[in-house]
Amino acid sequence: MEAENFHRTVASTVDGSPSWTIVDGGTGASGTATANAVQAPVGADINIGTHPYIGQLAQLDYNIDFTNPGIYTLWVRGITTLSPAANYETVRIAIDGAIVEPSATNDEHLSLKLGEAGRNVWNWNNKLYGKSPITTFVVRIESTGVHTLSLVMRDSDLIIDQIMLTQDATIDPNVTPPAAESASSVGSP
């Protein structure tokens, strides 16, 4: 789904940053010609780290109609605008208002790896940051129907173009990119 097709945005209440904003993603971004990505609040490399999350940090909500419960691999396509010296720009993920925490460390979250693709280079990523060995980011959907996927800001200077959930673990959107969804699409992974 296109990142700019969110259903709700929530402004940060703890770091003084505004909401995510719709931006022109430039060359390589999918979607419409002038509004084809969302950007985290821009700052001097803000890293929220362990602050409270839902309802307190800049957040995007996506209502998704799931026709099949189960395990989904989560992919996010994005870029970072920071210098190549940075390793990761990251975003927290929530389902139905609860942060997805794959382990007890409470410091694992979906990351977009700057070191692999370089600055200002679009890439798909589904890896956990803070997890060794590196593993794929998955979410469990317990029931059919509409569930809310939330992207919650952790780092600034991150632009997101697309989000993909799939039950096929062999799919790699870096090899076969998904088609862009229209603004009216709710999505059924």
Side-chain angles (χ1 to χ4, degrees), residues 71-84:
I71 303 291
Y72 286 82
T73 301
L74 175 65
W75 290 86
V76 173
R77 183 174 189 257
I79 61 173
T80 181
T81 57
L82 291 179
S83 67

Side-chain angles (χ1 to χ4, degrees), residues 10-80:
V10 177
S12 175
T13 62
V14 296
D15 67 356
S17 297
S19 300
W20 291 75
T21 54
I22 295 177
V23 297
D24 178 352
T27 303
S30 63
T32 65
T34 58
N36 54 14
V38 290
Q39 183 166 1
V42 178
D45 193 20
I46 296 169
N47 181 313
I48 301 303
T50 58
H51 278 287
Y53 308 115
I54 296 295
Q56 296 184 0
L57 299 178
Q59 169 182 326
L60 296 170
D61 290 340
Y62 300 85
N63 295 331
I64 303 170
D65 187 12
F66 287 88
T67 56
N68 298 309
I71 303 291
Y72 286 82
T73 301
L74 175 65
W75 290 86
V76 173
R77 183 174 189 257
I79 61 173
T80 181

Side-chain angles (χ1 to χ4, degrees), residues 62-119:
Y62 300 85
N63 295 331
I64 303 170
D65 187 12
F66 287 88
T67 56
N68 298 309
I71 303 291
Y72 286 82
T73 301
L74 175 65
W75 290 86
V76 173
R77 183 174 189 257
I79 61 173
T80 181
T81 57
L82 291 179
S83 67
N87 290 325
Y88 301 98
E89 289 304 310
T90 58
V91 61
R92 295 272 188 183
I93 305 299
I95 298 289
D96 294 332
I99 291 290
V100 176
E101 295 291 359
S103 78
T105 67
N106 289 331
D107 194 31
E108 295 174 350
H109 36 276
L110 189 71
S111 66
L112 297 171
K113 294 184 180 182
L114 176 60
E116 287 186 357
R119 190 176 125 230

Side-chain angles (χ1 to χ4, degrees), residues 26 39 45 49-50 58 63 65 69-70 105 110 123 129 148 153 155 162-163 165 169 171:
Q39 183 166 1
D45 193 20
T50 58
N63 295 331
D65 187 12
T105 67
L110 189 71
N123 81 314
Y129 172 83
T148 302
M153 178 195 163
D155 295 312
Q162 289 179 300
I163 304 157
L165 289 158
I171 290 177

